[in-house]
């Protein structure tokens, strides 16, 4: 295992910049926000840790990329930022999650609530779910594993690999009979296996959801500290990646959206603690209003404690 330990000078420059304008902007941040972000280059910090590389198959080793500091993010003219006319994140559910429609709709509500807390200040709306066949996307049956796979395009991500035993011979979603599938025959998706909804699945889904939307806002893969925006090549590496943004990526997202950091953390804390989510606009129009499943947040316990520590630093 290799630890990527950047110097205090390097991290400070990546966060604050040496550009007088950006330095001035940093100094105008709330004192608590600066105190939290300064944890990035405190060797004794227990909030933000260096990146650990476990093998050559890890993303940062196998995909060499130029690091993106705050100044590079700020001066990128191609990055997207919300505005009063465009402040809604629209999501389109393809297929179902869980083994019933009710579970699928509840899962969508949980993801909506999490996304609105993570990208605090923006509105998230889910469009009516569509079937895989309606997308006309290409797909295949993996010749080695017999797992059904959809070829995802720009702005599309899948939670399919996050179910229990996906990579094992016991996975129940394998196509039972090997066959050559026509690119226009979507009947293979009928009654297809859906993984059990668990706390681990929800945690993994929230990570993928916010990581990919982070890219839409212009955040590239993080190479500074352990961070949600780190790239990942495989499930083990993705699970090691934290749910939080490092201070450098947090400043980028705050710059793009303009939220209060402490209010954002409090919103995330409420999402973890609140079992009865606000369902306004969260689910399709014909969803059932009588069912309210308990949100499985056991896998978020450690992160909840981490958020509380951050709030304490912000409000010191």
């Amino acid at each position: 295992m290799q630890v990527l330990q950047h110097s205090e000078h390097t991290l400070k420059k990546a966060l604050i910049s040496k550009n007088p304008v950006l330095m001035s902007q940093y100094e105008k941040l709330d004192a608590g926000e600066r105190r939290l972000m300064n944890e990035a280059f405190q060797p004794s910090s227990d909030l933000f840790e260096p990146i650990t590389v476990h093998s050559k198959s890890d993303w940062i080793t196998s995909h060499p990329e130029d690091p993106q500091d705050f100044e590079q993010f700020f001066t990128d003219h191609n990055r997207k930022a919300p505005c009063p006319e465009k402040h809604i994140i629209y999501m389109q559910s393809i297929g179902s999650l869980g083994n019933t429609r009710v579970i699928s709709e509840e899962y969508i509500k949980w993801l909506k609530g999490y996304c609105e807390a993570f990208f605090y200040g923006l509105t998230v709306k889910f469009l009516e779910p569509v079937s895989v066949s309606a997308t006309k996307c290409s797909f295949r049956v993996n010749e080695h594993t017999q797992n059904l796979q959809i070829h995802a395009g720009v702005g599309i991500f899948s939670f399919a690999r996050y179910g229990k035993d996906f990579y094992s011979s016991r996975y129940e979603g394998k196509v039972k009979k090997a066959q050559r599938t026509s690119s226009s025959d979507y009947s293979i998706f009928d009654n297809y296996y859906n993984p059990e909804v668990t706390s681990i699945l929800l945690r993994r889904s929230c990570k993928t959801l916010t990581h990919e939307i982070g890219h839409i806002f212009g955040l590239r893969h993080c190479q500074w500290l352990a961070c949600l925006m780190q790239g990942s090549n495989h499930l083990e590496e993705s699970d090691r990646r934290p749910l939080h943004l490092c201070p450098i990526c947090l400043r980028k997202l705050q710059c793009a959206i303009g939220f209060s950091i402490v209010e954002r953390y409090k919103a995330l804390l409420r999402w973890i603690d609140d079992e009865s989510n606000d369902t306004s606009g969260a689910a399709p129009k014909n969803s059932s209003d009588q069912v309210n499943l308990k949100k499985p947040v056991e896998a978020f316990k450690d992160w909840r404690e981490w958020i509380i520590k951050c709030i304490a630093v912000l409000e010191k």
Side-chain angles (χ1 to χ4, degrees), residues 153-167:
V154 176
I156 301 175
F157 46 89
S158 172
F159 304 139
R161 297 169 187 262
Y162 295 160
K164 184 179 179 182
D165 297 330
F166 182 85
Y167 292 97

PDB file of all heavy atoms in Angstrom, residues 153-167:
ATOM      1  N   GLY A 153     -24.036   5.600 -21.791  1.00  0.00           N
ATOM      2  CA  GLY A 153     -23.466   6.727 -22.529  1.00  0.00           C
ATOM      3  C   GLY A 153     -23.214   7.909 -21.653  1.00  0.00           C
ATOM      4  O   GLY A 153     -23.180   7.786 -20.433  1.00  0.00           O
ATOM      5  N   VAL A 154     -23.054   9.115 -22.246  1.00  0.00           N
ATOM      6  CA  VAL A 154     -22.734  10.332 -21.509  1.00  0.00           C
ATOM      7  C   VAL A 154     -23.854  10.655 -20.515  1.00  0.00           C
ATOM      8  O   VAL A 154     -25.027  10.663 -20.854  1.00  0.00           O
ATOM      9  CB  VAL A 154     -22.538  11.516 -22.476  1.00  0.00           C
ATOM     10  CG1 VAL A 154     -22.308  12.804 -21.702  1.00  0.00           C
ATOM     11  CG2 VAL A 154     -21.367  11.230 -23.414  1.00  0.00           C
ATOM     12  N   GLY A 155     -23.468  10.912 -19.246  1.00  0.00           N
ATOM     13  CA  GLY A 155     -24.431  11.304 -18.236  1.00  0.00           C
ATOM     14  C   GLY A 155     -25.278  10.170 -17.695  1.00  0.00           C
ATOM     15  O   GLY A 155     -26.266  10.411 -17.009  1.00  0.00           O
ATOM     16  N   ILE A 156     -24.919   8.927 -18.016  1.00  0.00           N
ATOM     17  CA  ILE A 156     -25.682   7.775 -17.540  1.00  0.00           C
ATOM     18  C   ILE A 156     -24.797   6.951 -16.622  1.00  0.00           C
ATOM     19  O   ILE A 156     -23.629   6.720 -16.909  1.00  0.00           O
ATOM     20  CB  ILE A 156     -26.158   6.891 -18.713  1.00  0.00           C
ATOM     21  CG1 ILE A 156     -27.044   7.698 -19.663  1.00  0.00           C
ATOM     22  CG2 ILE A 156     -26.914   5.672 -18.203  1.00  0.00           C
ATOM     23  CD1 ILE A 156     -27.460   6.942 -20.906  1.00  0.00           C
ATOM     24  N   PHE A 157     -25.340   6.517 -15.498  1.00  0.00           N
ATOM     25  CA  PHE A 157     -24.585   5.620 -14.639  1.00  0.00           C
ATOM     26  C   PHE A 157     -25.512   4.566 -14.065  1.00  0.00           C
ATOM     27  O   PHE A 157     -26.723   4.765 -13.980  1.00  0.00           O
ATOM     28  CB  PHE A 157     -23.854   6.374 -13.523  1.00  0.00           C
ATOM     29  CG  PHE A 157     -24.691   7.390 -12.812  1.00  0.00           C
ATOM     30  CD1 PHE A 157     -25.449   7.051 -11.709  1.00  0.00           C
ATOM     31  CD2 PHE A 157     -24.720   8.703 -13.251  1.00  0.00           C
ATOM     32  CE1 PHE A 157     -26.215   7.992 -11.048  1.00  0.00           C
ATOM     33  CE2 PHE A 157     -25.481   9.664 -12.597  1.00  0.00           C
ATOM     34  CZ  PHE A 157     -26.232   9.291 -11.490  1.00  0.00           C
ATOM     35  N   SER A 158     -24.940   3.437 -13.701  1.00  0.00           N
ATOM     36  CA  SER A 158     -25.734   2.282 -13.286  1.00  0.00           C
ATOM     37  C   SER A 158     -25.380   1.839 -11.876  1.00  0.00           C
ATOM     38  O   SER A 158     -24.225   1.893 -11.464  1.00  0.00           O
ATOM     39  CB  SER A 158     -25.492   1.121 -14.266  1.00  0.00           C
ATOM     40  OG  SER A 158     -26.096  -0.063 -13.792  1.00  0.00           O
ATOM     41  N   PHE A 159     -26.406   1.362 -11.154  1.00  0.00           N
ATOM     42  CA  PHE A 159     -26.210   0.794  -9.826  1.00  0.00           C
ATOM     43  C   PHE A 159     -26.205  -0.733  -9.883  1.00  0.00           C
ATOM     44  O   PHE A 159     -26.137  -1.385  -8.847  1.00  0.00           O
ATOM     45  CB  PHE A 159     -27.331   1.247  -8.883  1.00  0.00           C
ATOM     46  CG  PHE A 159     -27.485   2.735  -8.776  1.00  0.00           C
ATOM     47  CD1 PHE A 159     -28.738   3.323  -8.746  1.00  0.00           C
ATOM     48  CD2 PHE A 159     -26.374   3.558  -8.712  1.00  0.00           C
ATOM     49  CE1 PHE A 159     -28.892   4.696  -8.634  1.00  0.00           C
ATOM     50  CE2 PHE A 159     -26.509   4.937  -8.604  1.00  0.00           C
ATOM     51  CZ  PHE A 159     -27.765   5.508  -8.569  1.00  0.00           C
ATOM     52  N   ALA A 160     -26.296  -1.303 -11.080  1.00  0.00           N
ATOM     53  CA  ALA A 160     -26.480  -2.750 -11.209  1.00  0.00           C
ATOM     54  C   ALA A 160     -25.366  -3.553 -10.545  1.00  0.00           C
ATOM     55  O   ALA A 160     -25.604  -4.597  -9.944  1.00  0.00           O
ATOM     56  CB  ALA A 160     -26.571  -3.123 -12.693  1.00  0.00           C
ATOM     57  N   ARG A 161     -24.139  -3.078 -10.638  1.00  0.00           N
ATOM     58  CA  ARG A 161     -23.005  -3.833 -10.093  1.00  0.00           C
ATOM     59  C   ARG A 161     -22.913  -3.754  -8.575  1.00  0.00           C
ATOM     60  O   ARG A 161     -22.043  -4.392  -7.983  1.00  0.00           O
ATOM     61  CB  ARG A 161     -21.695  -3.298 -10.686  1.00  0.00           C
ATOM     62  CG  ARG A 161     -21.605  -3.466 -12.194  1.00  0.00           C
ATOM     63  CD  ARG A 161     -20.428  -2.682 -12.764  1.00  0.00           C
ATOM     64  NE  ARG A 161     -20.445  -2.706 -14.219  1.00  0.00           N
ATOM     65  CZ  ARG A 161     -19.725  -3.545 -14.955  1.00  0.00           C
ATOM     66  NH1 ARG A 161     -18.938  -4.412 -14.368  1.00  0.00           N
ATOM     67  NH2 ARG A 161     -19.785  -3.518 -16.272  1.00  0.00           N
ATOM     68  N   TYR A 162     -23.780  -2.969  -7.950  1.00  0.00           N
ATOM     69  CA  TYR A 162     -23.676  -2.769  -6.509  1.00  0.00           C
ATOM     70  C   TYR A 162     -24.515  -3.739  -5.699  1.00  0.00           C
ATOM     71  O   TYR A 162     -24.540  -3.681  -4.483  1.00  0.00           O
ATOM     72  CB  TYR A 162     -24.084  -1.338  -6.151  1.00  0.00           C
ATOM     73  CG  TYR A 162     -23.148  -0.292  -6.706  1.00  0.00           C
ATOM     74  CD1 TYR A 162     -23.543   1.015  -6.852  1.00  0.00           C
ATOM     75  CD2 TYR A 162     -21.853  -0.637  -7.096  1.00  0.00           C
ATOM     76  CE1 TYR A 162     -22.690   1.975  -7.362  1.00  0.00           C
ATOM     77  CE2 TYR A 162     -21.000   0.315  -7.610  1.00  0.00           C
ATOM     78  CZ  TYR A 162     -21.422   1.631  -7.744  1.00  0.00           C
ATOM     79  OH  TYR A 162     -20.578   2.572  -8.243  1.00  0.00           O
ATOM     80  N   GLY A 163     -25.221  -4.622  -6.368  1.00  0.00           N
ATOM     81  CA  GLY A 163     -26.019  -5.604  -5.653  1.00  0.00           C
ATOM     82  C   GLY A 163     -25.168  -6.714  -5.062  1.00  0.00           C
ATOM     83  O   GLY A 163     -23.984  -6.884  -5.380  1.00  0.00           O
ATOM     84  N   LYS A 164     -25.763  -7.506  -4.190  1.00  0.00           N
ATOM     85  CA  LYS A 164     -25.065  -8.596  -3.513  1.00  0.00           C
ATOM     86  C   LYS A 164     -24.608  -9.659  -4.511  1.00  0.00           C
ATOM     87  O   LYS A 164     -25.356 -10.075  -5.382  1.00  0.00           O
ATOM     88  CB  LYS A 164     -26.000  -9.218  -2.467  1.00  0.00           C
ATOM     89  CG  LYS A 164     -25.369 -10.306  -1.636  1.00  0.00           C
ATOM     90  CD  LYS A 164     -26.363 -10.841  -0.633  1.00  0.00           C
ATOM     91  CE  LYS A 164     -25.754 -11.958   0.205  1.00  0.00           C
ATOM     92  NZ  LYS A 164     -26.731 -12.514   1.165  1.00  0.00           N
ATOM     93  N   ASP A 165     -23.360 -10.070  -4.401  1.00  0.00           N
ATOM     94  CA  ASP A 165     -22.797 -11.191  -5.175  1.00  0.00           C
ATOM     95  C   ASP A 165     -22.754 -10.960  -6.682  1.00  0.00           C
ATOM     96  O   ASP A 165     -22.722 -11.919  -7.452  1.00  0.00           O
ATOM     97  CB  ASP A 165     -23.585 -12.483  -4.895  1.00  0.00           C
ATOM     98  CG  ASP A 165     -23.489 -12.930  -3.447  1.00  0.00           C
ATOM     99  OD1 ASP A 165     -22.466 -12.644  -2.830  1.00  0.00           O
ATOM    100  OD2 ASP A 165     -24.440 -13.551  -2.950  1.00  0.00           O
ATOM    101  N   PHE A 166     -22.748  -9.693  -7.141  1.00  0.00           N
ATOM    102  CA  PHE A 166     -22.752  -9.445  -8.583  1.00  0.00           C
ATOM    103  C   PHE A 166     -21.585 -10.132  -9.282  1.00  0.00           C
ATOM    104  O   PHE A 166     -21.720 -10.647 -10.381  1.00  0.00           O
ATOM    105  CB  PHE A 166     -22.712  -7.937  -8.857  1.00  0.00           C
ATOM    106  CG  PHE A 166     -22.757  -7.588 -10.329  1.00  0.00           C
ATOM    107  CD1 PHE A 166     -23.963  -7.476 -10.990  1.00  0.00           C
ATOM    108  CD2 PHE A 166     -21.580  -7.387 -11.045  1.00  0.00           C
ATOM    109  CE1 PHE A 166     -24.011  -7.169 -12.350  1.00  0.00           C
ATOM    110  CE2 PHE A 166     -21.620  -7.080 -12.403  1.00  0.00           C
ATOM    111  CZ  PHE A 166     -22.840  -6.970 -13.056  1.00  0.00           C
ATOM    112  N   TYR A 167     -20.431 -10.154  -8.623  1.00  0.00           N
ATOM    113  CA  TYR A 167     -19.238 -10.708  -9.267  1.00  0.00           C
ATOM    114  C   TYR A 167     -19.016 -12.190  -8.950  1.00  0.00           C
ATOM    115  O   TYR A 167     -18.005 -12.756  -9.339  1.00  0.00           O
ATOM    116  CB  TYR A 167     -18.000  -9.903  -8.846  1.00  0.00           C
ATOM    117  CG  TYR A 167     -18.003  -8.492  -9.394  1.00  0.00           C
ATOM    118  CD1 TYR A 167     -18.441  -7.421  -8.620  1.00  0.00           C
ATOM    119  CD2 TYR A 167     -17.609  -8.232 -10.703  1.00  0.00           C
ATOM    120  CE1 TYR A 167     -18.459  -6.123  -9.121  1.00  0.00           C
ATOM    121  CE2 TYR A 167     -17.624  -6.946 -11.213  1.00  0.00           C
ATOM    122  CZ  TYR A 167     -18.045  -5.893 -10.417  1.00  0.00           C
ATOM    123  OH  TYR A 167     -18.068  -4.619 -10.926  1.00  0.00           O
TER     124      TYR A 167
END
